[in-house]
């Protein structure tokens, strides 16, 4: 019998008592707690955890070796520990009670629970500022804390979103031995609300632990397992896209998207086993990072933040990363007119990136130009030409001079295309006007609808 089977047996026996205990006594106990501590929700929650501790009094440390179980289990298996063995009736009753507690009280309670769990890994430690010192827990209390914490996070996942910055910003919660607990905590929140779980992953867990390509592969594996678990949920894509902007914040912020893009497109000799997993998840991460109504406030903000990040990515001497960054850079230009001015400000200091973007516009003119503002693009390349001329006079570095000259060549090509396009349009309008006038002279009774159709066909051509 393995640890999981032993735990299921022991906890199953305990849960039989728990079901009878709670369903018979729960309402009386909770009413008593609320009556005694009506305005002290923190005490209510502590007593709530204590009642579960009593229910699991028969569970010993050897019967619930949670640290070993978490270390040896995949995210998909650990996510249901221990609630898979708790009665639905108990979970529903408790969840209804939890939903009536305030977010502030639940936030403190969640931190207290996590502190209690962490204390078993690193010895007793102080809780949040102003709170009492966390004492090491008995085996029964360990089980109870996992149970009440899981039920709290599943019923009120927003609470974790609020406290996650405190967790990931404090070294006492960080470390390879503590990571499975943090991953388990986020997985519980995602069970209650997929968007909240993804928000915690993208804003806190991933950027904290995967900011460096040389990071711990074990940590990276756990972080990716959690992401894969979230994305594997039925209708995950539509659920996440519907929550792509949460209270004014993007579900996948630009900084996290930049990190994910770099992990997905490393240089060939830096590929690792996890690279394929990044590649598999990249399309949905990109979709979430760029999601939103065109021209909306959140999309404009994302474009302004992403544009300089893409410019830096293009200077990594990585052809695949550059191609992807160029595409995102051009997307930024299509979403926000201010992006053109932003590009002008960083143009010379990111001349290699600018060359890559200008080259893409020239080569794929038929596909790219309809998406860009002709007026803004024309003004921008005109300013670039002036900057190029001034820079060539003052720059002595041969490499930079070559880049500026190449950029200038593309600027002239784009400017020429835009100018010719405008001239051709004017000429076409003159020709059409003359044709219409001649038609009226020759055929005064000519149908106006036919004239309109003729003009439309010429303009579309």
């Amino acid at each position: 019998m393995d640890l999981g089977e032993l735990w299921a047996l022991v906890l199953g026996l305990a849960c039989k008592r728990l079901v009878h205990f709670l369903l018979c006594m729960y309402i009386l106990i909770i009413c008593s707690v609320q009556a005694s501590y009506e305005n002290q929700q923190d005490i209510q929650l502590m007593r709530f955890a204590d009642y579960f501790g009593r229910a699991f009094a028969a569970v010993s440390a050897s019967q619930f070796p949670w640290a070993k179980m978490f270390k040896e289990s995949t995210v998909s298996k650990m996510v249901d520990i221990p609630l898979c063995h708790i009665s639905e009736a108990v979970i529903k009753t408790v969840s209804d009670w939890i939903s009536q507690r305030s977010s502030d009280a639940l936030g403190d309670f969640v931190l207290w629970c996590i502190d209690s769990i962490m204390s078993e890994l690193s010895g007793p430690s102080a809780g949040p500022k102003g709170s009492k010192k966390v004492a090491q827990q008995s085996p029964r209390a360990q089980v109870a804390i996992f149970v009440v914490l899981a039920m709290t996070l599943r019923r009120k996942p927003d609470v974790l979103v609020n406290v996650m910055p405190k967790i990931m910003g404090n070294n006492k919660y960080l470390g390879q031995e503590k990571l499975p607990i943090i991953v388990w905590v986020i997985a519980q929140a995602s069970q209650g609300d997929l968007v909240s779980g993804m928000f915690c992953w993208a804003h806190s867990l991933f950027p904290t632990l995967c900011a460096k390509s040389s990071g711990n592969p074990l940590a990276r594996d756990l972080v990716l397992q959690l992401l894969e678990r979230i994305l594997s949920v039925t209708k995950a894509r539509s659920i996440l896209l519907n929550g792509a902007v949460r209270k004014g914040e993007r579900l996948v912020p630009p900084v996290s998207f930049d990190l994910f893009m770099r992990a997905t497109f490393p240089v060939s000799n830096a590929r690792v086993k996890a690279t394929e997993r990044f590649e598999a998840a990249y399309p949905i991460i990109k979709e979430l990072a760029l999601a939103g109504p065109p021209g909306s406030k959140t999309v404009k903000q994302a474009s302004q933040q992403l544009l300089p990040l893409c410019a830096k990515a293009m200077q990594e001497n990585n052809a695949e990363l550059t191609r992807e960054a160029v595409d995102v850079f051009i997307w930024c230009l299509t979403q926000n007119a201010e992006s053109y001015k932003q590009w002008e400000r960083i143009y010379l200091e990111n001349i290699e990136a600018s060359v890559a973007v200008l080259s893409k516009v020239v080569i794929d003119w038929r596909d790219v130009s309809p998406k860009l503002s002709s007026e803004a693009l024309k003004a921008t390349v005109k300013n670039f030409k002036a900057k190029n001329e001034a820079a060539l006079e003052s720059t002595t570095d041969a490499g930079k001079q070559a880049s500026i000259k190449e950029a200038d060549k593309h600027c002239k090509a784009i400017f020429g295309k835009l100018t010719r396009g405008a001239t051709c349009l004017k000429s076409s309008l003159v020709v059409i006007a003359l044709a219409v006038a001649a038609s009226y002279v020759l055929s005064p009774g000519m149908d106006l609808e036919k004239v309109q159709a003729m003009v439309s066909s010429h303009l579309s051509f």
Side-chain angles (χ1 to χ4, degrees):
M1 180 180 294
D2 63 20
L3 289 173
E5 292 171 337
L6 177 62
W7 162 238
L9 177 62
V10 173
L11 189 53
L13 293 172
C15 283
K16 288 181 181 178
R17 301 178 186 178
L18 180 63
V19 170
H20 292 296
F21 175 76
L22 281 179
L23 292 183
C24 295
M25 303 295 294
Y26 193 76
I27 295 176
L28 179 62
I29 291 170
I30 292 300
C31 289
S32 174
V33 170
Q34 290 185 209
S36 302
Y37 306 101
E38 185 175 357
N39 298 318
Q40 296 175 286
Q41 292 192 18
D42 56 338
I43 296 179
Q44 291 178 18
L45 288 163
M46 293 299 178
R47 296 294 297 273
F48 157 68
D50 186 54
Y51 288 132
F52 273 85
R54 296 178 190 179
F56 289 106
V59 180
S60 67
S62 61
Q63 293 168 333
F64 182 46
W66 61 266
K68 185 175 182 179
M69 290 167 64
F70 275 37
K71 185 178 180 180
E72 296 176 354
S73 300
T74 63
V75 171
S76 293
K77 289 184 178 180
M78 75 166 69
V79 71
D80 290 324
I81 298 173
L83 288 194
C84 57
H85 304 294
I86 304 294
S87 162
E88 286 293 332
V90 172
I91 293 174
K92 184 181 185 306
T93 303
V94 173
S95 295
D96 290 343
W97 184 80
I98 289 171
S99 68
Q100 300 172 37
R101 305 309 105 194
S102 72
S103 294
D104 288 343
L106 289 172
D108 291 339
F109 180 65
V110 165
L111 287 175
W112 176 81
C113 288
I114 295 174
D115 283 341
S116 299
I117 294 170
M118 294 296 186
S119 69
E120 297 300 312
L121 292 174
S122 55
S125 60
K129 187 176 181 180
S131 66
K132 294 182 179 180
K133 194 173 184 179
V134 176
Q136 284 189 296
Q137 305 295 315
S138 64
R140 72 176 188 181
Q142 291 173 13
V143 179
I145 287 173
F146 275 101
V147 170
V148 297
L149 179 56
M151 288 191 289
T152 300
L153 293 172
R154 292 187 181 204
R155 184 63 184 86
K156 299 282 282 188
D158 272 6
V159 170
L160 184 62
V161 172
N162 295 334
V163 302
M164 202 65 196
K166 295 180 182 178
I167 294 173
M168 300 310 295
N170 192 325
N171 286 333
K172 76 175 181 178
Y173 299 113
L174 304 180
Q176 183 59 37
E177 76 282 0
K178 300 172 184 176
L179 179 58
I181 303 303
I182 301 301
V183 168
W184 177 85
V185 164
I186 298 175
Q188 299 311 308
S190 71
Q191 290 292 102
D193 176 37
L194 204 64
V195 172
S196 294
M198 185 66 185
F199 191 94
C200 293
W201 183 91
H203 279 255
S204 300
L205 186 66
F206 175 69
T208 300
L209 297 178
C210 297
K212 297 180 179 179
S213 58
S214 58
N216 187 327
L218 295 177
R220 184 168 54 226
D221 175 61
L222 271 177
V223 172
L224 283 172
Q225 279 191 55
L226 178 57
L227 174 64
E228 290 159 351
R229 163 108 185 155
I230 291 172
L231 297 182
S232 68
V233 171
T234 304
K235 296 183 179 179
R237 178 179 172 274
S238 60
I239 294 170
L240 295 175
L241 283 173
N242 285 335
V245 179
R246 180 185 180 278
K247 297 179 181 179
E249 291 189 85
R250 301 198 67 80
L251 187 56
V252 176
V255 171
S256 295
F257 174 58
D258 175 60
L259 291 172
F260 204 94
M261 180 170 63
R262 290 169 181 268
T264 305
F265 300 99
V267 292
S268 58
N269 60 0
R271 290 181 66 88
V272 293
K273 289 183 178 180
T275 301
E276 290 185 3
R277 297 165 71 186
F278 279 108
E279 290 172 342
Y282 182 75
I284 181 63
I285 295 298
K286 181 179 180 179
E287 194 173 8
L288 291 171
L290 308 185
S296 64
K297 182 180 178 181
T298 55
V299 168
K300 286 183 176 181
Q301 288 175 342
S303 67
Q304 287 186 307
Q305 294 173 38
L306 280 171
L307 188 140
L309 293 173
C310 290
K312 290 182 180 179
M314 287 180 234
Q315 300 182 74
E316 298 292 330
N317 196 26
N318 179 341
E320 287 192 20
L321 178 61
T322 295
R323 277 194 293 271
E324 183 63 22
V326 166
D327 286 342
V328 178
F329 191 102
I330 290 175
W331 174 87
C332 294
L333 296 177
T334 66
Q335 299 300 314
N336 190 353
E338 290 298 314
S339 294
Y340 290 92
K341 296 179 181 179
Q342 190 179 14
W343 186 10
E344 288 184 33
R345 289 193 293 270
I346 67 170
Y347 172 70
L348 285 175
E349 64 189 67
N350 295 275
I351 190 63
E352 292 83 3
S354 295
V355 168
V357 175
L358 292 168
S359 175
K360 171 75 172 180
V361 173
V362 172
I363 294 171
D364 295 336
W365 178 255
R366 285 176 178 258
D367 295 328
V368 174
S369 60
K371 303 174 185 177
L372 301 173
S373 166
S374 298
E375 184 179 344
L377 182 59
K378 187 174 182 179
T380 298
V381 295
K382 185 177 180 180
N383 291 335
F384 285 169
K385 286 168 65 181
K387 287 177 180 287
N388 293 338
E389 186 177 349
L392 286 172
E393 291 179 359
S394 60
T395 301
T396 57
D397 182 85
K400 190 165 186 178
Q401 279 188 341
S403 296
I404 294 172
K405 287 179 180 178
E406 187 176 358
D408 197 56
K409 179 184 70 175
H410 295 315
C411 286
K412 289 176 180 176
I414 293 171
F415 193 81
K417 288 177 181 292
L418 291 169
T419 304
R420 284 194 300 274
T423 302
C424 290
L425 178 60
K426 289 178 182 178
S427 299
S428 296
L429 291 174
V430 170
V431 171
I432 291 170
L434 291 172
V436 171
S439 297
Y440 269 108
V441 171
L442 298 173
S443 305
M446 186 176 183
D447 190 347
L448 288 175
E449 290 185 2
K450 291 182 179 180
V451 174
Q452 186 178 3
M454 180 181 70
V455 172
S456 299
S457 65
H458 277 79
L459 287 176
S460 62
F461 176 77

